[in-house]
């Protein structure tokens, strides 16, 4: 149960950063790369994680942008890398069901406003 709580806390942290921070912070690619790398490095149950933006939605990147961290398989197990997944994989294409499903699930959460109301009330 603890990893889910940590993931929710990380999601709230990213929401606050991009909702209430200056434009320079919001445009920071380094901050996003560091965030997904920390998510993978600090939880042994997480093999990989990303923060993928829809087309032209990141304030500083044109097109797709997806900071993505992952663990290397044996014999390099324990080492983690981070990259922009969008450079290698067009996740908005017809073969990418995972991004479509994640977006649809997020739309349901946004429609209910549950997490955002809680985040906003905790921020003040």
């Amino acid at each position: 149960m603890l990893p889910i709580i940590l993931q929710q806390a990380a999601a709230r942290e990213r929401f606050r950063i991009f909702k209430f921070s200056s434009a320079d912070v919001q445009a920071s690619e380094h901050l996003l790369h560091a965030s997904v790398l920390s998510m993978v490095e600090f939880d042994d149950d997480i093999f990989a994680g990303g923060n993928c933006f829809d087309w032209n939605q990141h304030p500083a990147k044109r097109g797709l942008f997806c900071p993505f961290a992952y663990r290397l398989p044996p014999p390099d197990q324990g080492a983690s890398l981070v990259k922009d997944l969008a450079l290698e994989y067009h996740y908005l294409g017809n073969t990418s069901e995972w991004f479509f499903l994640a977006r649809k699930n997020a739309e349901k959460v946004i429609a209910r406003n549950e997490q955002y109301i809680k985040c906003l009330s905790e921020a003040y």
Side-chain angles (χ1 to χ4, degrees), residues 52-58 61-65 86 90-92 99 103:
C52 299
F53 287 79
D54 212 337
W55 187 263
N56 286 336
Q57 291 302 303
H58 187 270
K61 296 287 280 188
R62 306 304 307 154
L64 295 178
F65 178 55
H90 183 69
Y91 53 86
L92 291 182
F99 187 78
R103 182 189 307 158

Side-chain angles (χ1 to χ4, degrees), residues 8 13 34 40 63 67 75 91-92 105 112 122-123:
Q8 291 172 344
E13 172 193 36
V40 170
Y91 53 86
L92 291 182
N105 287 335
R112 290 191 310 256
E122 290 176 0

Side-chain angles (χ1 to χ4, degrees), residues 33 52 65-68 83-91 98:
H33 284 283
C52 299
F65 178 55
C66 183
F68 181 78
K83 64 181 178 180
D84 181 358
L85 185 66
L87 297 176
E88 301 174 21
Y89 180 61
H90 183 69
Y91 53 86
W98 66 268

Side-chain angles (χ1 to χ4, degrees), residues 6-25:
L6 293 175
Q7 291 171 19
Q8 291 172 344
R12 284 194 302 270
E13 172 193 36
R14 284 190 295 275
F15 172 78
R16 287 184 189 117
I17 288 170
F18 286 96
K19 182 70 175 174
F20 303 112
S21 297
S22 69
D24 290 341
V25 173

Side-chain angles (χ1 to χ4, degrees), residues 2-123:
L2 186 58
I4 292 171
I5 293 169
L6 293 175
Q7 291 171 19
Q8 291 172 344
R12 284 194 302 270
E13 172 193 36
R14 284 190 295 275
F15 172 78
R16 287 184 189 117
I17 288 170
F18 286 96
K19 182 70 175 174
F20 303 112
S21 297
S22 69
D24 290 341
V25 173
Q26 292 177 16
S28 173
E29 295 174 42
H30 176 73
L31 179 63
L32 288 167
H33 284 283
S35 176
V36 295
L37 184 60
S38 295
M39 180 177 55
V40 170
E41 287 183 333
F42 294 145
D43 190 336
D44 291 337
D45 293 330
I46 298 176
F47 171 78
N51 190 1
C52 299
F53 287 79
D54 212 337
W55 187 263
N56 286 336
Q57 291 302 303
H58 187 270
K61 296 287 280 188
R62 306 304 307 154
L64 295 178
F65 178 55
C66 183
F68 181 78
Y70 59 99
R71 294 183 196 280
L72 292 174
D76 297 317
Q77 200 164 12
S80 299
L81 297 176
V82 66
K83 64 181 178 180
D84 181 358
L85 185 66
L87 297 176
E88 301 174 21
Y89 180 61
H90 183 69
Y91 53 86
L92 291 182
N94 293 336
T95 61
S96 179
E97 185 176 330
W98 66 268
F99 187 78
F100 176 79
L101 293 175
R103 182 189 307 158
K104 290 299 175 190
N105 287 335
E107 288 171 358
K108 291 176 189 174
V109 171
I110 291 168
R112 290 191 310 256
N113 287 323
E114 292 171 4
Q115 291 173 300
Y116 298 106
I117 292 169
K118 186 176 180 183
C119 282
L120 290 173
S121 66
E122 290 176 0

